[in-house]
Amino acid sequence: LPRHVRPALPTRAATLPREILKAPQDTDYRSLCALYAKAAQTRSDVNQACFLATQAYVFALQSNHPLTEHLHSFLKNHGREE
């Protein structure tokens, strides 16, 4: 993600699953978007990255997140979105 839209997140990838599991309890869609986008960045497998980016995109749409356009472009570039 571009530096100017990167959210402040835990730096260790190991903490991401715990944060992702915690966030839905609060229905904090902005945080969920950021967490899934960060998790997508950590994947070397394009299918896994696209799956996580899709989840991030859904939450981005729900929260009018600044990452919405970037996530849409990423998914479009990988044939997952029109």
Side-chain angles (χ1 to χ4, degrees):
L1 302 175
R3 266 197 193 280
H4 68 281
V5 292
R6 286 187 187 161
L9 295 173
T11 55
R12 296 184 326 179
T15 62
L16 287 171
R18 184 178 16 200
E19 294 296 321
I20 287 172
L21 289 174
K22 181 182 168 218
Q25 297 170 6
D26 302 326
T27 60
D28 183 357
Y29 298 129
R30 290 182 70 78
S31 291
L32 282 167
C33 172
L35 290 168
Y36 274 94
K38 182 68 172 179
Q41 286 183 308
T42 67
R43 300 300 187 261
S44 58
D45 180 286
V46 72
N47 290 320
Q48 290 178 6
C50 287
F51 172 80
L52 293 165
T54 299
Q55 303 311 306
Y57 183 55
V58 169
F59 293 125
L61 290 170
Q62 290 176 317
S63 63
N64 196 29
H65 199 284
L67 290 175
T68 304
E69 289 302 316
H70 174 76
L71 290 163
H72 182 257
S73 294
F74 175 83
L75 293 169
K76 194 171 180 180
N77 289 339
H78 290 89
R80 279 15 184 239
E81 183 63 48
E82 295 181 2

